[in-house]
Amino acid sequence: MSSPRVLAIVLAGGEGKRLMPLTADRAKPAVPFGGTYRLIDFALSNVANSRYLQIVVLTQYKSHSLDKHVSMTWRMSTMLGNYVTPVPAQQRVGKNWYLGSADAIYQSLNLIDDARPDIVVVVGADHVYRMDFSQMVDAHIASGAGCTVAGIRQPVGLSDQFGVIEVGEGADMGSTPRITAFREKPTDPTTIPGSPDEILASMGNYVFDADALVEAVTRDAADDSSKHDMGGDIVPDFVSRGSAAVYDFQRNDVPGATDRDRGYWRDVGTIDSYYEAHMDLTSALPVFNLYNDRWPILSQQRPLPPAKFVHGWHGRAGTAVDSIVAPGVVVSGATVEGSVLSTGVQAHSWSSVTDSVLLDGVQVGRHAAVRRAIIDKNVVVPEGARIGFDPDHDRARGFVVTPSGLTVVGKNAVVEP
Ligand code: ADQ
C-alpha cells in the first residue's frame, strides 16, 4: 500500500468516574489540562500532526462541552477545515446509547462506508503524549497483521488499569511482533520477560485494516456475551486468530522531541495521575515539553489579553515561579509556586498558590492560601480562606480529598470565607 487512505476515529465517550468531581458535568476528554487545553486536544493534535485529516470523534457521555469544544476549536480551525466531525451517539441500531467502545464504532459503520479507508486508526482521547501515528501505520502494514496495538512499558502494579500484552519469549520489539496473549486489566499479569517489575501495556491506540475492523465489530455486535469493548473483546478476538501485532511506542520518534520528553505518555485517569501530569509541566526542564513547535498541541485560542504580574496595593510583588500561567491571568501581589494557572485566573494581594492546579477563571482572594489542590472552573476562594492545609476540614466542607492528600474543589462549590 503506497499511500493508504486513512480514517481516524477518536473514542471520546469515556465517563471518567475516577476523575470526579472534574467529570461531574463534562466528559473525560473535555476535562481541561495544562492551562489552555482539553484532554482531547492531545489525541487530535497527534492525529492532525500525523497528517491524517479525516477524523471523526465519537462522543456520548455528558458531551455538551466536548461537542462545543470540538466544533469551535477543531471543526472551525483553519488548518483542518471541516475534517473533524463530532458524532454523538446515534442510536442508529437499537435504542441503546453506545454500550462499549466497540459498539460506538459499530453504530458508526456508515462513516467508514462513506470514507472508504484502507486503514482505520482508533485512538483514545484521554492521554497526554506526542505520537506520530503514521510511523505506527507503516509498521502495521509491514507486519501483515489485521490489528496493531500500541504498547508501552508500565509498572506491574498498574496492570489492573490496562490491557496487558504478551509476546513470545525473545520477540523482537523493533519489528512489530505478533501478540500471543492479551488480557484486559488483569490482577495477575504476565510481566515482560527479563523485567519482572514491568508489563507491556496497551495504550488504547489501534491500527486496523478497515475491512478486518468492520468484520470484527459486526461479528461482535451479534455476540450477546460480549461487552462490546475494544480492549476487552475486539483485540482479544484478533489475538485468538493470530492477527494482532504490537507496535512498541519506544520506536516512535516525533520531530522536535528532547531526550527528556521522548517516550512521555501519561494516562490521566485518576485525580492523582491528572495532578502529577500537571506537575510534569511545571519544572524548568519539564519531562513533557509543551514548547515543541514542530509537533504543536493545538487548542482553542480565545482572544484573551496576555498574563500580567503586578505589585499589590501595598507594594508586594506578584510573582510566579516554576509555574505555567495562561493568557488572561492576573497575579497581583500574590505568590505562585509550582502551579498551573489556567486562563483568566486572578490571584490577589497576600495570597499564595503552591503546588496547585487552578482551572479557568478561579479567583483567589486576599490573604487566601491554596496548597496541593485542584480547583475547578470559576470557583471563588474568598479572602483569608485556606484550602489544602487540613484534610478533615476540607472533607467537612464537601471537597474531595484523595488518599495522597490532594484536595479537589468541584465546579460549583461555594468556599466559605
Ligand atoms: P479504558 O480507558 O479503561 O482502557 P475505556 O473506558 O473503554 O477503556 O476508554 C477507552 C477510550 O474510549 C477513552 O478515550 C474513552 O473516552 C472512550 N470510550 C469509552 N467508552 C466509549 C463509548 N461508549 N463511546 C465512545 N467512546 C468511548 C483502554 C483500553 C485498555 C488500555 C487503556 C489505556 O481498553 O486496554 O490499556 O485504554 O489507557
Side-chain angles (χ1 to χ4, degrees), residues 72-366:
M72 287 180 55
T73 305
W74 284 91
R75 217 174 169 190
M76 309 302 246
S77 94
T78 45
M79 177 178 167
L80 290 171
N82 279 329
Y83 292 110
V84 180
T85 314
V87 182
Q90 300 177 73
Q91 304 168 30
R92 265 187 346 112
V93 183
K95 44 183 196 314
N96 290 328
W97 277 35
Y98 302 146
L99 299 170
S101 47
D103 184 55
I105 294 181
Y106 177 66
Q107 290 204 36
S108 307
L109 281 183
N110 60 317
L111 301 169
I112 301 182
D113 256 10
D114 292 349
R116 301 194 160 280
D118 305 305
I119 297 285
V120 181
V121 175
V122 178
V123 305
D126 35 27
H127 299 107
V128 176
Y129 66 118
R130 283 193 171 84
M131 180 168 180
D132 181 351
F133 291 113
S134 70
Q135 295 170 27
M136 182 173 168
V137 167
D138 289 347
H140 166 83
I141 292 169
S143 80
C147 157
T148 299
V149 181
I152 188 169
R153 287 169 178 255
Q154 289 290 294
V156 65
L158 299 180
S159 70
D160 61 353
Q161 298 181 24
F162 296 118
V164 175
I165 299 167
E166 291 175 40
V167 288
E169 190 102 20
D172 172 9
M173 289 305 289
S175 72
T176 330
R178 283 293 194 272
I179 299 175
T180 53
F182 184 100
R183 283 190 296 149
E184 183 73 353
K185 303 177 183 160
T187 47
D188 58 342
T190 304
T191 53
I192 296 175
S195 290
D197 299 333
E198 287 182 311
I199 51 163
L200 187 57
S202 160
M203 297 166 68
N205 293 337
Y206 318 100
V207 176
F208 294 95
D209 287 357
D211 294 345
L213 175 64
V214 171
E215 192 273 323
V217 296
T218 305
R219 200 156 27 80
D220 173 78
D223 178 356
D224 288 341
S225 68
S226 170
K227 288 194 174 130
H228 312 296
D229 184 55
M230 292 303 287
D233 303 290
I234 301 297
V235 173
D237 175 52
F238 276 89
V239 172
S240 71
R241 291 182 280 125
S243 189
V246 56
Y247 173 75
D248 186 359
F249 182 54
Q250 273 191 356
R251 293 167 64 189
N252 203 260
D253 196 13
V254 164
T258 62
D259 285 346
R260 203 174 273 270
D261 82 345
R262 189 167 291 117
Y264 183 94
W265 180 80
R266 288 291 182 277
D267 177 40
V268 285
T270 64
I271 289 290
D272 283 334
S273 59
Y274 175 82
Y275 175 83
E276 291 304 331
H278 273 98
M279 294 302 115
D280 286 343
L281 302 175
T282 57
S283 55
L285 293 170
V287 287
F288 186 70
N289 175 23
L290 281 174
Y291 304 89
N292 175 0
D293 58 6
R294 294 179 59 197
W295 197 269
I297 306 302
L298 308 165
S299 190
Q300 187 180 14
Q301 296 295 333
R302 281 200 285 148
L304 287 164
K308 185 176 181 185
F309 301 81
V310 294
H311 286 94
W313 55 274
H314 41 68
R316 186 174 186 245
T319 59
V321 291
D322 295 339
S323 295
I324 287 196
V325 178
V329 168
V330 179
V331 178
S332 164
T335 306
V336 177
E337 252 187 277
S339 296
V340 176
L341 306 192
S342 310
T343 50
V345 166
Q346 295 196 351
H348 297 282
S349 290
W350 299 111
S351 68
S352 65
V353 178
T354 313
D355 300 334
S356 293
V357 179
L358 273 43
L359 302 190
D360 306 47
V362 169
Q363 299 274 329
V364 184
R366 286 184 184 173

Side-chain angles (χ1 to χ4, degrees), residues 58-70:
L58 301 184
T59 66
Q60 69 165 354
Y61 173 85
K62 292 179 180 169
S63 62
H64 174 69
S65 67
L66 181 60
D67 288 342
K68 198 168 129 194
H69 176 72
V70 170

